[in-house]
Amino acid sequence: MKFRAVIKETQGWWIGWLVDLPGVNAQERTRDALLESLKIGAKEMLETDIPFDPGFSMEQLDIPEPEWA
């Protein structure tokens, strides 16, 4: 799986988040450490069991790639 990450170095820290997985963000001292933290965050997010109330369902949506991708 591939996810888009927005990253930036600012004041000695690398910060970033995954556009496609809201809530996955990180801050690290190096770019490599930041990318690894984002990967770990995405893995943990995707492995999280999500409870559903009766009557709800989970659907997968097929969204075409944007032209700029």
Side-chain angles (χ1 to χ4, degrees), residues 49-62:
D49 185 31
I50 303 169
F52 285 96
D53 292 327
F56 285 88
S57 66
M58 183 178 290
E59 302 291 332
Q60 289 188 335
L61 302 176
D62 185 16

Side-chain angles (χ1 to χ4, degrees), residues 6 14-18 23-28 33-38:
V6 175
W14 281 87
I15 60 171
W17 61 91
L18 297 184
V24 177
N25 53 67
Q27 174 179 315
E28 299 288 351
L34 172 69
L35 295 176
E36 185 61 25
S37 288
L38 291 172

Side-chain angles (χ1 to χ4, degrees):
M1 298 181 101
K2 293 185 179 184
F3 297 98
R4 296 173 292 164
V6 175
I7 64 172
K8 178 183 179 179
E9 183 181 19
T10 181
Q11 299 178 356
W13 287 92
W14 281 87
I15 60 171
W17 61 91
L18 297 184
V19 175
D20 307 302
L21 284 177
V24 177
N25 53 67
Q27 174 179 315
E28 299 288 351
R29 286 287 187 186
T30 67
R31 183 182 187 275
D32 288 342
L34 172 69
L35 295 176
E36 185 61 25
S37 288
L38 291 172
K39 288 178 188 179
I40 291 168
K43 183 176 183 294
E44 290 176 354
M45 171 86 67
L46 293 170
E47 290 175 346
T48 300
D49 185 31
I50 303 169
F52 285 96
D53 292 327
F56 285 88
S57 66
M58 183 178 290
E59 302 291 332
Q60 289 188 335
L61 302 176
D62 185 16
I63 308 295
E65 290 284 333
E67 290 183 25
W68 52 264

